[in-house]
Amino acid sequence: GIQVEQSPPDLILQEGANSTLRCNFSDSVNNLQWFHQNPWGQLINLFYIPSGTKQNGRLSATTVATERYSLLYISSSQTTDSGVYFCAVPPAGGTSYGKLTFGQGTILTVHP
Amino acid sequence: EPEVTQTPSHQVTQMGQEVILRCVPISNHLYFYWYRQILGQKVEFLVSFYNNEISEKSEIFDDQFSVERPDGSNFTLKIRSTKLEDSAMYFCASSEALLVRSYEQYFGPGTRLTVT
């Protein structure tokens, strides 16, 4: 099946700093989602971004499907950005009905 | 904004007991999923469900697990005889369209299952 790798595994920032999280995937995809898992364990949808660039406030994401990677940018980080960030993709082909394969996540800690 | 809901938020059960986790997907969605996340690990796919039948299941989804859509709104995951290793966060998700590989999945807040 498709492999998803995220980097870095851990990231520690001071409030106000910017960061870039990366998601590499092993096969072509027509869907990619970014999630934030908050300290209560909830998965919050951040972006649905099969290709191109999207922005939502201080967060933006870019997917370059032809090169099999996606980037999540966090600007002016706040302590509430802390948590785990996951990317997830479905298989591009085959008979799967959209199951998402998740990466291992990037643990982000933002200090005040 | 429509959202996926799950109940209960936390379930504690004894080994060998049956549990039913409940989900209400977004009302116009057609595909439903269960995922689980063991503490500290990544989220793993369990099963997908469409048109009142299982579309796909993972190797984790053995005979101890079953899913059902008992009415027009609820979607349930049953674990018949829980084991310690079933302790995890269970997420329900739903997506809108038939071309599900191209459409966004929306996740519920999760049910934390603790088996003692």
Side-chain angles (χ1 to χ4, degrees), chain A residues 30-31 33 35 37 41-43 45 48 86 90-94 96-100 102-103, chain B residues 31 33 35 37 41-43 45 48 55-56 89 91 100-107 109 112:
Chain A
N30 52 14
N31 178 12
Q33 293 186 232
F35 297 90
Q37 187 166 39
Q42 297 173 330
L43 280 173
N45 286 41
Y48 166 73
F86 290 102
S96 171
Y97 292 91
K99 71 171 189 181
L100 292 177
F102 282 73
Chain B
Y31 268 79
Y33 311 83
Y35 293 81
Q37 184 185 32
Q41 298 186 19
K42 66 178 181 179
V43 179
F45 168 79
S48 59
S55 303
E56 185 176 5
M89 181 77 99
F91 294 102
V100 291
R101 286 171 293 172
S102 300
Y103 284 85
E104 184 171 6
Q105 292 185 25
Y106 294 83
F107 280 69
R112 187 172 299 281

Side-chain angles (χ1 to χ4, degrees), chain B:
Chain B
E1 184 175 328
E3 58 183 15
V4 178
T5 59
Q6 290 185 243
T7 54
S9 57
H10 191 190
Q11 173 97 42
V12 181
T13 190
Q14 289 191 326
M15 196 167 51
Q17 296 297 305
E18 175 183 286
V19 294
I20 297 176
L21 310 183
R22 302 181 192 280
C23 167
V24 179
I26 295 173
S27 61
N28 64 334
H29 284 189
L30 300 176
Y31 268 79
F32 314 115
Y33 311 83
W34 285 101
Y35 293 81
R36 80 170 186 190
Q37 184 185 32
I38 294 171
L39 187 63
Q41 298 186 19
K42 66 178 181 179
V43 179
E44 300 174 290
F45 168 79
L46 288 178
V47 65
S48 59
F49 190 87
Y50 169 71
N51 199 25
N52 283 319
E53 61 182 26
I54 291 174
S55 303
E56 185 176 5
K57 59 184 180 180
S58 72
E59 61 275 9
I60 302 168
F61 194 89
D62 61 22
D63 292 343
Q64 293 297 313
F65 292 90
S66 61
V67 290
E68 191 179 28
R69 189 155 164 84
D71 53 42
S73 59
N74 289 283
F75 179 50
T76 62
L77 174 69
K78 182 193 291 187
I79 309 175
R80 289 189 182 82
S81 178
T82 50
K83 305 173 204 161
L84 294 176
E85 53 265 37
D86 294 327
S87 295
M89 181 77 99
Y90 288 81
F91 294 102
C92 173
S94 67
S95 64
E96 183 175 7
L98 288 175
L99 291 175
V100 291
R101 286 171 293 172
S102 300
Y103 284 85
E104 184 171 6
Q105 292 185 25
Y106 294 83
F107 280 69
T111 292
R112 187 172 299 281
L113 176 65
T114 303
V115 182
T116 61

Side-chain angles (χ1 to χ4, degrees), chain A residues 25 29-34 46-55 60-65 69-72 88-89, chain B residues 104:
Chain A
F25 37 96
V29 297
N30 52 14
N31 178 12
L32 186 141
Q33 293 186 232
W34 281 99
L46 295 178
F47 293 102
Y48 166 73
I49 182 164
S51 62
T53 297
K54 288 186 177 179
Q55 179 146 12
S60 64
T62 296
T63 296
V64 184
Y69 73 89
S70 183
L71 302 174
L72 178 69
V89 298
Chain B
E104 184 171 6

